[in-house]
Amino acid sequence: MNKRITRSSDDRFLAGVCGGLGEYFGIDSTWIRLGFIFMTPFSYFLTILVYVVCVFLMPEKRNVQETSYHARHRHLRRDSTKELNKNKK
């Protein structure tokens, strides 16, 4: 299975770049955030540009979970489909 770098949808402060990098490399995203913050003044704020570029280049990882809203509406759709099929007969 190919491992992809994606922006995290649940471990995020701004856009999920550090959370995604942490997931990819298997380290805590806090260390990556601290590294970005520490390196910013020494790199003439180039890390901010790198972060912005990563926001646009890294796709977002979508954690889709079924909520009670979706479950309730799925049952309503199923019931309405049954009624439509019953009316057609």
Side-chain angles (χ1 to χ4, degrees), residues 66 68-84:
E66 184 176 55
S68 60
Y69 174 82
H70 290 107
R72 183 173 56 242
H73 283 69
R74 184 188 65 216
H75 293 301
L76 291 175
R77 277 184 269 144
R78 186 175 7 173
D79 293 341
S80 64
T81 305
K82 286 179 184 178
E83 285 184 33
L84 287 174

Side-chain angles (χ1 to χ4, degrees), residues 32-49:
I32 295 175
R33 287 184 186 100
L34 289 173
F36 265 92
I37 292 168
F38 179 74
M39 292 301 296
T40 298
F42 297 111
S43 66
Y44 299 105
F45 301 95
L46 186 63
T47 54
I48 295 172
L49 178 66

